[in-house]
Amino acid sequence: QLQLVESGGGLVQPGGSLRLSCAASGFRFDHHAIGWFRQAPGLEREGVACISSNTGRMTYADSVKGRFTISRDNAKSMAYLEMNSLKPEDTGIYYCARGTYATCSDDAPAMIEFPFWGQGTQVTVSS
């Protein structure tokens, strides 16, 4: 069955870096866009980044542009989110999700276009 499993979260100091991974199985990975989302306590889940099926297009939320980089390895059915210059406001549960379509929209990913989710990994940015 379709499965997405995130890993790589943890506690990091402000200014630090983390690399999240998403292992996918149960579907044709190279046919779908992959998105990363996050949810902070008490807030709605928000789209962070999207990468198209052929890696030709990446989009980011304004809050992470220049700090986060999304990538994927279709041969390994893996997606990644490299996070640098982390801030306390980046704290939250990070989820990867499979898109309905192969491409990303012009803006940060929207939940309605990503119907399948992993269980999430906690990222805490604190000194």
Side-chain angles (χ1 to χ4, degrees), residues 35-92:
W36 283 95
F37 295 76
R38 67 185 180 188
Q39 187 165 19
L43 299 179
E44 294 185 353
R45 196 172 298 187
E46 63 173 347
V48 173
C50 175
I51 185 167
S52 64
S53 62
N54 63 358
T55 74
R57 179 178 179 85
M58 287 84 81
T59 58
Y60 298 91
D62 288 343
S63 59
V64 306
K65 282 180 181 176
R67 301 189 297 121
F68 289 13
T69 302
I70 189 171
S71 62
R72 65 190 292 163
D73 184 338
N74 285 345
K76 296 181 179 179
S77 295
M78 294 289 296
Y80 306 96
L81 186 68
E82 185 76 32
M83 306 186 295
N84 298 313
S85 302
L86 282 162
K87 305 175 182 179
E89 52 263 43
D90 293 317
T91 294

